[in-house]
Amino acid sequence: MKRVTINRILALLVIATMLFGACTKETSNTRLAAKISTSQFKNVTSDSVTVVGFVVAAGAGFTEEGVVYNTSSAPTTSNSKIVFSGPTTGATYTVKIGGLAYATVYYARAYAISPTGTLYGEEVTFTTLPVVPTLTTAAFTAITGNAAAGGGNVTVAGGAAVTARGIAYGTAHNPVISGTKTSDGTGTGAFTSALTSLKGNTTYYVRAYATNAAGTGYGPEVNFTTLVDMPVVTTTAVTAVTKTSAVSGGAVTYDGGGTITARGLAWGMSANPTIAGTVILDPATGTGTFVSNLTALTKYTGYHVRAYATNSAGTAYGADVTFTTLADILTWYLPGDYVTASYPGSTFNNWDPANSPKVMSTISAGDKLEGYVYLANGSNNWKFATQPNWNGPNYANNDANGVLEPGKLDPNAKNNIASAAGYYKLNADATAMTYTALATTWGIIGNATPGGWSNDTPMSYDPAKEVWTVYATLSKETPPNDGLKFRANGGWDLNYGDNSANGSLESGGTNIGVAYSGDYAIVMDLSHPNAYTYSLTNWGLIGDATPGGWSTDTQMSWNSANKVWTVTVALVSGSGGKTFKFRANQGWNLNYGGLGTSDGSSDNYTNATTAPLGSGGHNLGVPGNVDGTYTVTFDPVALKATVTKN
């Protein structure tokens, strides 16, 4: 758009003044030729503009002044014009043109009519601003308890691109886009909108909207009312599970806009139980939380529960929550005068049922209890207590006939079970009320062991750790026909293998395989009733400082005299600081390195001789970065190592 600047106006004024002065000096009867100028335009809106005209020289005088305009160039008085009607004493005049079309290019000129004709100033051009779009709002259909479908139609863009359109909606009149809205494309034309997540039985007000550079326009407001919606329910986590009972419930967090007429818990042994099956009806109605007590359940059985709530729209359910009732597993405790001496370093105490060893039954045999107990004294007195206190029944045996008899509450009474020192396997039958106490010693046997299948390799019991241990050289053997087993008392009446090769022991189970030949620390743990475990641990060196590099372990041997693992091996240091680590069973599940900072012996790696060791620690360097033959020892209990040059 073209504008005449203020500087130009001032220049014209100066020239006119000079000419007028010169004429005055020459003759008072001389007049300048008539001339008019279009000064500027301003205040452009969508339908109006202000144009300023300037009379440069009036000549013999003007009979009419104003502004002409048109949508084509060079407008004249035969086109549209606005006659200036203000005072004519000044040189400038201002005309406001109204009733213009939005977003339209116009041309305008100042004009003046004199006795000699019509004069025009310079032409200026301007574009009116756009207006907000015009649109309609469609009626809403497909109304449910939480959704409805409708839309709108942008019939007039308003002179600018429609950059957004959709539906503004809410529960109050005249919703706007600063509230909840949909977004349904751009441009003119009809569009559809899907409203979701609505509240049930609620009146909503909606208006179609469209946005362009001028702003946002809205269609007429329409309204609709949703139907009653389904309730929203959550299921409470199951707690207080016993063999025959449990506690659950739920919460009705939303009534769907209707009245909750029933709520409760549906349950059964199949997934997603419904009110067509077994239910616990809560006595209250409406929203809120409720508690449901499940009773008369079957022991060690899986159940499903779902909270439910009903209104006029139907019945809604919470999530399906599962639980399993407890198995019929018994736990009996073994208080006695032997406990403190037999379990050093533990929290166990003499004649304290809660702090004593125990026997337990299994899921498959709920009345058959089993476990192991160590009796350290030369003579030991003990009982079976059915609770971790003296409030319940306890049993003893007066005549050593294996029959359990009710004991007295006095733990020091003479009707205790008396046993000599030993490591006992205890079995008790809670139905027949009988028991056995078998003293055991343990060993390993099999073609993977030093004695083969003919001679047991004895194990030793460690009271502080409550495990049986032996260090032995084993050969690589593969089950089921080869390998090793644990057996008691040099016979096959009581033996353990591993059916799943997962470190658990089963009575009479599959032979245990040995993956690599070498020395092993062999540990059997019978301290947890019916959950017996074992481990076979072989140690070696690995790393680029060793002959096998990082791919092959250098096996270590057990030194029974010094109670350490040892190997004599050629180690190399290298300019790059070659290193090694200790690892078990040729895998990385268990490995040890240094925990200290670098001692400078090997390019930022720790020295095994001086650094404290820890699981997964730093790689270890060769002392002094000197190649040679070294004797290396490792104590995985004390976590100490030595690396001595020969």
Side-chain angles (χ1 to χ4, degrees), residues 259-277:
T259 300
I260 301 297
T261 56
R263 67 184 192 181
L265 192 73
W267 63 277
M269 288 183 284
S270 299
N272 299 316
T274 69
I275 58 174

Side-chain angles (χ1 to χ4, degrees), residues 159-191:
V162 174
T163 56
R165 66 186 189 183
I167 292 293
Y169 64 99
T171 56
H173 284 289
N174 299 318
V176 294
I177 60 172
S178 60
T180 309
K181 70 179 188 298
T182 66
S183 295
D184 301 303
T186 60
T188 58
F191 61 88

Side-chain angles (χ1 to χ4, degrees), residues 5 15 112 144-145 152 233 246 320 336 338 345-346 392 394 413 422-423 470 485 494 519 529 569 626 628 641:
T5 64
I15 294 170
T144 68
V233 193
D320 186 328
Y338 70 95
S346 72
N394 67 89
Y423 190 84
V470 64
K485 299 188 82 170
L494 179 57
D519 285 359
V569 61
V626 178

Side-chain angles (χ1 to χ4, degrees), residues 81-121:
K81 69 175 183 178
I82 300 294
V83 179
F84 175 66
S85 59
T88 59
T89 55
T92 61
Y93 60 89
T94 301
V95 173
K96 182 175 182 180
I97 305 172
L100 303 178
Y102 63 84
T104 302
V105 177
Y106 283 91
Y107 302 87
R109 295 193 293 178
Y111 78 92
I113 300 175
S114 71
T116 59
T118 301
L119 300 178
Y120 294 96

